[in-house]
Amino acid sequence: MKKYLLPKTGNFYKANLHCHTTYSDGKKTPEQVKALYKSLGYSIVAYTDHDILIPHDDLTDDTFLALHGFEMETNEQKLWEDQPKTCHICFIGLEKKNLTQPMWHRSKYLFRNAPNYKHLVKFDETLPDYERVYSSEGISEIMQTAREKGFFVTYNHPSWSLEDYSNYMGYHGMHAMEMFNGSCIVSGFDDYNPRVYDDILKGGERIFAIGGDDNHNSAPDNSRRSDSGKAFTVIKAKNLKYRTVTKALENGDFYASEGPEIRELYYEDGNVYVKCSGADRIVCNYDIRCAHSVFANNDIPVTEACFKINKKAKYFRITVIDMRGRRACSNAYFVDTLAD
Ligand SMILES: [Zn+2]
Ligand SMILES: [Zn+2]
């Protein structure tokens, strides 16, 4: 029986799940971000300014959905500028009405322009100020608290953060991690993170992989240094309603990309089938020492592949690489969830 790994029905929506505006350290207003991303073919932006949860529902219309969230950093010491390690996590509200910021501190942890908007933040006044602790336990507590409060939790740019195996293997509670972070890649960091994804999966966490720009828009929109439109998540959902889209996030009905499209992905009788935009290679990777590739035929791009899944593998995941070297990455699919 066919099992659709990306839903059979619905529409593909291009989404940026990590974004900064003038509410923290971005250069564009939320309205300007919407205009730019609509011009780049996006339907969804998650506004994840540093430290403050501010809704931008007024920007939502029939063709655009503004998700609300925030990014929270926990530093090894006081300032990340001076210190090697930091952990950044984005939270996206799963319900439109979920506007209470968890883990709020009344006087600390506000970045750049955020203090100007703290009066707009809603928080539970009965709770004490939340102190952030940089440790496996401290980060896991942040991830799990946000999950319990109804947020989609993503672990961001481990390379830029200078975090390694000894750090992220201790983090428990994320829904997803950034396979691609557009702004980090543009500024020269190695935040294409397949190795980190495999490490975390092999450690036993069943998480998804997203792409996000983390745009701050310091460079002109049409310049090569622009951090918009570089890494994105393509979500397949029935419509653009807030909860429909966040349910698709929870289900893993998406893939991450720098450009290529995965148009169809399904599993049948031990095989996985991929249809995609024209590519140089389509690759199937596993948790074991085994990989399969289908290549373009000279200059004729490859647009589909069928891989017989290795029976010894716990999971597989698909990567599509286009002629410019840009990648699209599927989530990992665990074989024990696919048995007929
Ligand atoms: Zn960050
Ligand atoms: Zn960010």
Side-chain angles (χ1 to χ4, degrees):
M1 207 178 79
K2 263 190 199 178
K3 287 206 171 167
Y4 283 88
L5 307 177
L6 289 171
K8 185 181 180 189
T9 57
N11 307 303
F12 284 113
Y13 297 108
K14 193 171 174 183
N16 177 16
L17 299 180
H18 186 169
C19 159
H20 299 284
T21 74
T22 47
Y23 279 73
S24 63
D25 61 343
K27 291 284 188 277
K28 286 188 187 291
T29 64
E31 293 80 3
Q32 290 169 331
V33 165
K34 173 183 173 181
L36 174 60
Y37 277 82
K38 282 198 74 170
S39 76
L40 294 170
Y42 286 65
S43 306
I44 300 165
V45 170
Y47 288 88
T48 55
D49 271 303
H50 292 283
D51 303 315
I52 49 171
L53 176 63
I54 308 277
H56 297 292
D57 291 333
D58 52 313
L59 299 179
T60 293
D61 57 33
D62 289 347
T63 59
F64 184 81
L65 172 65
L67 298 172
H68 51 253
F70 65 106
E71 186 177 23
M72 185 165 165
E73 76 279 358
T74 305
N75 306 318
E76 204 171 15
Q77 290 190 33
K78 198 174 174 204
L79 290 172
W80 61 258
E81 284 98 333
D82 302 329
Q83 296 299 328
K85 292 193 180 186
T86 180
C87 180
H88 289 209
I89 309 166
C90 275
F91 308 112
I92 297 170
L94 290 170
E95 299 276 356
K96 193 174 176 182
K97 62 180 189 303
N98 190 1
L99 294 170
T100 303
Q101 179 154 341
M103 299 170 285
W104 179 249
H105 195 294
R106 290 165 181 78
S107 56
K108 281 163 70 176
Y109 307 121
L110 289 172
F111 193 61
R112 298 281 162 84
N113 300 332
N116 301 333
Y117 301 101
K118 74 182 268 202
H119 63 285
L120 299 174
V121 171
K122 292 185 180 140
F123 62 96
D124 184 344
E125 297 191 21
T126 66
L127 294 176
D129 288 335
Y130 189 85
E131 294 289 349
R132 306 176 187 182
V133 178
Y134 186 86
S135 67
S136 297
E137 296 75 24
I139 302 298
S140 296
E141 179 182 285
I142 288 170
M143 290 176 168
Q144 286 159 19
T145 301
R147 252 182 117 109
E148 283 160 19
K149 302 281 183 188
F151 289 83
F152 187 80
V153 178
T154 65
Y155 173 52
N156 300 342
H157 50 63
S159 180
W160 180 90
S161 298
L162 299 182
E163 293 204 291
D164 58 34
Y165 188 90
S166 66
N167 306 113
Y168 54 72
M169 292 308 283
Y171 299 163
H172 306 293
M174 66 184 88
H175 290 92
M177 62 158 287
E178 285 184 339
M179 178 65 87
F180 306 104
N181 180 296
S183 104
C184 291
I185 292 171
V186 164
S187 52
F189 292 88
D190 185 24
D191 267 302
Y192 165 52
N193 294 305
R195 175 65 186 270
V196 179
Y197 189 41
D198 282 321
D199 282 344
I200 294 175
L201 293 169
K202 284 187 243 180
E205 302 275 310
R206 296 197 176 192
I207 63 164
F208 304 128
I210 66 155
D213 267 338
D214 193 6
N215 56 298
H216 293 74
N217 302 105
S218 302
D221 294 345
N222 52 6
S223 75
R224 292 175 81 99
R225 297 191 69 84
S226 168
D227 53 11
S228 283
K230 296 298 190 293
F232 49 91
T233 303
V234 180
I235 301 170
K236 194 158 189 192
K238 288 217 162 63
N239 57 54
L240 252 191
K241 292 201 172 91
Y242 196 105
R243 189 63 184 125
T244 311
V245 167
T246 58
K247 272 191 178 145
L249 284 180
E250 287 185 285
N251 290 340
D253 296 338
F254 57 82
Y255 65 90
S257 183
E258 298 175 294
E261 296 171 8
I262 299 177
R263 293 174 179 161
E264 212 173 302
L265 192 61
Y266 63 88
Y267 177 87
E268 187 173 31
D269 299 333
N271 299 301
V272 63
Y273 295 82
V274 188
K275 290 187 181 169
C276 60
S277 52
D280 180 62
R281 276 175 87 180
I282 306 173
V283 183
C284 180
N285 287 112
Y286 298 99
D287 58 309
I288 57 173
R289 189 176 298 111
C290 176
H292 308 303
S293 292
V294 173
F295 289 84
N297 183 3
N298 294 321
D299 286 335
I300 302 168
V302 58
T303 57
E304 59 186 312
C306 168
F307 300 110
K308 187 167 181 54
I309 297 304
N310 189 308
K311 287 197 164 59
K312 291 182 183 156
K314 286 198 178 73
Y315 69 79
F316 62 87
R317 56 185 189 82
I318 302 297
T319 306
V320 174
I321 307 162
D322 73 9
M323 296 296 192
R324 292 168 55 187
R326 301 178 305 175
R327 292 169 163 89
C329 296
S330 79
N331 284 311
Y333 298 96
F334 281 80
V335 177
D336 64 7
T337 66
L338 299 171
D340 286 327

